Amino acid sequence: MLKIRKRDEPWKWGALVVFLGALLFSLVLSALLLKGQGKDALYGLTVLWQGSFGNVWSLEDVLLKAIPLFLCSLGVAVAFRMQIWNIGAEGQFALGAIGATWMALAFPGLPRFVLLPLMFVMAFILGGVWALIPAVLRLKLRVNEIISTLMLNYIAILLLDFLVFGVWKDPASYGFPMTPEFTEGAIIPGIAGSRVHWGIVFCVVVGIGLWAFMRFTRLGFELTASGEGARVARYAKIRYGMLVLLVMGLSGGFAGWAGCVETSAVLNRLQPSLMVGYGYTAIVVAWLARLEPLNIAFASFLLAALRVGVENMQLKLQIPAAFGTIMEGIILLTVLAGQFFLTYKLVRKPRQE
């Protein structure tokens, strides 16, 4: 007979074992789902792998999707560390794209070394301000930030639609909702002629900067300590309200940067197809990575590869678009369930004679 016992020490390689086990389990379940649809499960998983890693074009596509996902996930992780549940990265992503587009359309003649910083600054400001709205509502009116951030997502997306269908619509777009194409100075260039752009270097700098901030600064320590709750923070004489505003501003700003990078480097204009759910997937990435920046980089790459692979499966196997979302959900649930074994273990209960 088995019983649950708390581990004397945390399982050293537990996180890696749990993650790999969850990934394997999700692949097995996905194969069963494919089989249930009358598809060849082994061929389907092969198509998934080839679509993600089969050639240079696929790898470039994975990296392109991992960049905005990484920045959104960093923002989500900052808020989650303080137990502020920011579900609004999708809307903050949209506001960042709007801010970047505003600068690109307002100052098309500026050189790149002036215009790109302007776009990044405005994207961070608008994304941060959008995130500060639910922060203020939480502090002043005790409004649940899960509800307010989620509702603001819809407003942000509709605001983006209003602009590309209205005042920013390109007269030469033949009726399609999109802005005029950005000038060269507003476009983040590719690296060495590839489709992968310099936004990936920006991600590395931001990731290292956030890691150093959280690990080596007093403010980062206070932020982590405040995650135990408002009472603990106030008992330790930490300015809890100020930290809530700070983390939400940073969280929204990072998501805003993601919107800026995607608009500038990939689409070269603002259009509704920008909104593909990076902000929601970022929540999955942040939890899979246990809110650690280095782990977030790996998890972002993995989830981006899953997206690209599922797109390939859709084309070759004619499976529903929701299949990728199902796989994401299975991976997250199995990883979260597996966290139990990091602290506890099953032992055989001795028989009583």
Side-chain angles (χ1 to χ4, degrees):
M1 187 174 180
L2 299 176
K3 68 175 183 178
I4 298 171
R5 178 180 294 173
K6 191 170 185 179
R7 295 180 184 274
D8 297 328
E9 296 179 357
W11 190 6
K12 186 176 181 181
W13 298 101
L16 179 61
V17 172
V18 166
F19 182 79
L20 293 177
L23 186 60
L24 179 62
F25 182 72
S26 67
L27 288 175
V28 171
L29 282 184
S30 301
L32 292 175
L33 288 174
L34 287 173
K35 198 72 175 175
Q37 295 182 43
K39 311 293 184 182
D40 186 329
L42 184 59
Y43 175 69
L45 294 180
T46 303
V47 169
L48 177 68
W49 174 266
Q50 290 177 343
S52 301
F53 309 109
N55 51 59
V56 174
W57 181 272
S58 297
L59 284 172
E60 286 181 349
D61 211 14
V62 170
L63 288 173
L64 287 175
K65 286 178 168 56
I67 290 169
L69 195 51
F70 175 77
L71 289 171
C72 285
S73 302
L74 276 185
V76 169
V78 169
F80 283 8
R81 272 182 173 273
M82 201 172 155
Q83 295 190 28
I84 306 295
W85 311 116
N86 177 19
I87 314 297
E90 188 77 356
Q92 294 142 23
F93 176 90
L95 262 291
I98 290 171
T101 303
W102 182 11
M103 293 297 99
L105 297 181
F107 306 104
L110 290 178
R112 180 176 286 154
F113 70 89
V114 176
L115 184 51
L116 280 180
L118 270 178
M119 292 167 66
F120 273 88
V121 168
M122 187 54 66
F124 190 91
I125 290 173
L126 289 192
V129 168
W130 200 252
L132 285 174
I133 296 172
V136 172
L137 291 174
R138 171 188 165 121
L139 292 172
K140 299 299 182 183
L141 302 176
R142 297 187 179 182
V143 175
N144 188 306
E145 72 274 11
I146 295 175
I147 303 300
S148 57
T149 52
L150 185 61
M151 293 298 101
L152 282 170
N153 285 344
Y154 298 103
I155 298 174
I157 294 170
L158 289 172
L159 176 60
L160 187 152
D161 286 344
F162 168 77
L163 292 171
V164 296
F165 277 94
V167 292
W168 284 352
K169 185 176 179 180
D170 183 6
S173 67
Y174 299 100
F176 290 101
M178 59 180 66
T179 65
E181 189 171 3
F182 293 170
T183 57
E184 187 177 345
I187 296 174
I188 300 172
I191 299 175
S194 69
R195 292 192 300 145
V196 180
H197 51 78
W198 287 97
I200 195 169
V201 178
F202 180 73
C203 286
V204 172
V205 173
V206 172
I208 293 173
L210 179 63
W211 172 81
F213 169 76
M214 297 297 297
R215 189 176 180 87
F216 299 114
T217 67
R218 177 179 175 179
L219 201 56
F221 171 77
E222 290 182 350
L223 190 154
T224 303
S226 297
E228 299 298 324
R231 287 186 178 181
V232 174
R234 292 184 180 115
Y235 180 78
K237 297 184 179 178
I238 296 174
R239 297 163 293 177
Y240 182 77
M242 183 274 291
L243 286 179
V244 170
L245 296 175
L246 174 66
V247 297
M248 285 298 284
L250 286 175
S251 184
F254 287 158
W257 274 342
C260 172
V261 169
E262 190 72 1
T263 306
S264 171
V266 178
L267 297 178
N268 308 147
R269 57 168 30 115
L270 185 65
Q271 58 191 58
S273 62
L274 173 77
M275 306 306 298
V276 295
Y278 288 128
Y280 295 118
T281 305
I283 299 169
V284 178
V285 170
W287 279 121
L288 287 178
R290 304 182 70 188
L291 312 182
E292 292 292 338
L294 181 60
N295 296 343
I296 286 173
F298 175 74
S300 297
F301 182 81
L302 176 69
L303 267 294
L306 181 63
R307 278 184 171 233
V308 175
V310 169
E311 288 173 2
N312 194 43
M313 291 176 71
Q314 285 179 247
L315 290 173
K316 292 192 174 183
L317 299 179
Q318 300 299 305
I319 62 170
F323 189 78
T325 307
I326 293 172
M327 289 189 69
E328 287 180 14
I330 292 171
I331 293 172
L332 178 62
L333 288 174
T334 49
V335 168
L336 292 179
Q339 302 282 331
F340 171 83
F341 294 102
L342 300 181
T343 308
Y344 298 91
K345 61 182 178 179
L346 297 175
V347 296
R348 187 179 295 277
K349 188 176 181 180
R351 292 183 178 181
Q352 295 180 354
E353 296 183 3

